[in-house]
Amino acid sequence: MSEEAGEVWGDAVRDSRGRPCPVVLDVRTARPPQPVGPSRYRMPNPERLARGGESVYLTGGDFSPATVIDAYRAGYFPWPRSEEDERWWCSPNPRGVLPLGAFTITRRLGRTVRSGRFGVTVDAAFEAVIRACAERSEGTWITANLVAGYVELARLGWAHSFEVWEGEELVGGLYGVGVGAMFGAESMFSRVPDASKVAMVAMVQHCRAIGVELIDIQVLNEHTARMGGREIPRAVYLARLARALRGEAAWCAGEAAVARGG
């Protein structure tokens, strides 16, 4: 039913003219997060390490599920510098976030979403997405060991992917990690125009539907800024993260496959 016929899409992203742009999602999430046990490493509070409010970097650890999850809970994410120098963790200041309520898209992108040109799935091809994100001509921080660690996180129900399809071809997507009611969006890729943007629209819609309270995009760039990303002080981010960690998003619920009317 169209908005003109009286339906309001409760979770759908809207364009700059206020028109809803619902994405039909095929949700394949197989299981809720499984226990990973404690990490062998301790992630210190970045605010206690910072001098003058700068970004904080740590070295060491591993990419086991427990370590990665504990890092996110403490406000860090992995940021390898190379295959040989990969065990780096970052807690930037300021921190990039994507506001769930204020996220809007251009009219042109809204037309693309509403056209149904692309099909979108959730958690249907995680490994294909993360490997596509690593295929960058300028080089990548997504090392082989990081890929292996995140594929295991996905198998255990902690990491998630949004896949954008044109027919049978995977043409775009993004992946990240869900902890509590926080989703840490890690990286995206696009093989045709607008595919990664459609993945972001689908991510926001799905996160709204399942109870995500905080979307972390780590470091703001030109692309995410145009899509509504903002920077906030790390201390503010850590306070919002603490609140989100007390909640739990329903990644495995499955009932929010389409933006809901209501």
Side-chain angles (χ1 to χ4, degrees):
M1 184 183 295
S2 68
E3 186 181 41
E4 288 75 14
E7 184 165 358
V8 179
W9 294 92
D11 302 315
V13 169
R14 292 177 178 266
D15 67 17
S16 58
R17 296 188 66 180
R19 294 192 63 184
C21 306
V23 180
V24 178
L25 296 177
D26 180 0
V27 180
R28 308 279 187 88
T29 309
R31 61 181 60 83
Q34 303 299 296
V36 296
S39 172
R40 296 185 297 159
Y41 305 95
R42 183 181 65 86
M43 295 287 180
N45 186 326
E47 286 290 278
R48 294 176 182 171
L49 297 180
R51 298 177 181 176
E54 74 273 23
S55 297
V56 172
Y57 300 89
L58 302 177
T59 61
D62 56 32
F63 298 137
S64 69
T67 300
V68 175
I69 296 304
D70 279 3
Y72 274 98
R73 285 173 171 152
Y76 297 88
F77 57 88
W79 200 341
R81 303 186 178 197
S82 67
E83 292 279 357
E84 297 75 24
D85 191 21
E86 64 179 357
R87 294 179 181 178
W88 283 79
W89 308 83
C90 180
S91 180
N93 191 30
R95 186 82 169 220
V97 297
L98 194 65
L100 281 153
F103 183 84
T104 57
I105 59 177
T106 65
R107 285 180 288 171
R108 185 190 66 78
L109 181 58
R111 288 193 296 270
T112 298
V113 172
R114 290 192 297 269
S115 74
R117 170 189 170 190
F118 297 113
V120 185
T121 54
V122 181
D123 292 335
F126 182 90
E127 185 168 356
V129 168
I130 191 172
R131 291 191 181 279
C133 289
E135 295 172 359
R136 300 177 185 271
S137 58
E138 69 274 18
T140 181
W141 53 270
I142 305 173
T143 65
N145 287 328
L146 189 66
V147 169
Y150 274 69
V151 168
E152 179 65 6
L153 277 171
R155 187 187 71 80
L156 293 170
W158 292 90
H160 303 280
S161 57
F162 293 81
E163 301 90 16
V164 178
W165 307 85
E166 193 166 33
E168 299 297 315
E169 183 181 0
L170 181 64
V171 295
L174 64 83
Y175 76 93
V177 175
V179 185
M182 182 278 294
F183 182 63
E186 281 281 350
S187 187
M188 66 181 69
F189 79 98
S190 186
R191 291 172 177 156
V192 299
D194 290 338
S196 63
K197 295 177 182 177
V198 171
M200 286 186 68
V201 174
M203 173 190 69
V204 172
Q205 175 184 296
H206 195 53
C207 284
R208 288 174 176 175
I210 66 175
V212 169
E213 300 172 11
L214 174 64
I215 297 180
D216 170 27
I217 56 173
Q218 302 172 352
V219 178
L220 194 68
N221 58 36
E222 183 178 348
H223 178 66
T224 52
R226 287 198 300 268
M227 296 290 286
R230 299 176 183 172
E231 291 183 329
I232 59 176
R234 181 174 50 224
V236 174
Y237 171 79
L238 292 175
R240 292 183 60 184
L241 174 64
R243 289 195 297 271
L245 292 178
R246 292 194 289 268
E248 194 67 45
W251 286 96
C252 203
E255 67 267 22
V258 184
R260 299 176 303 218

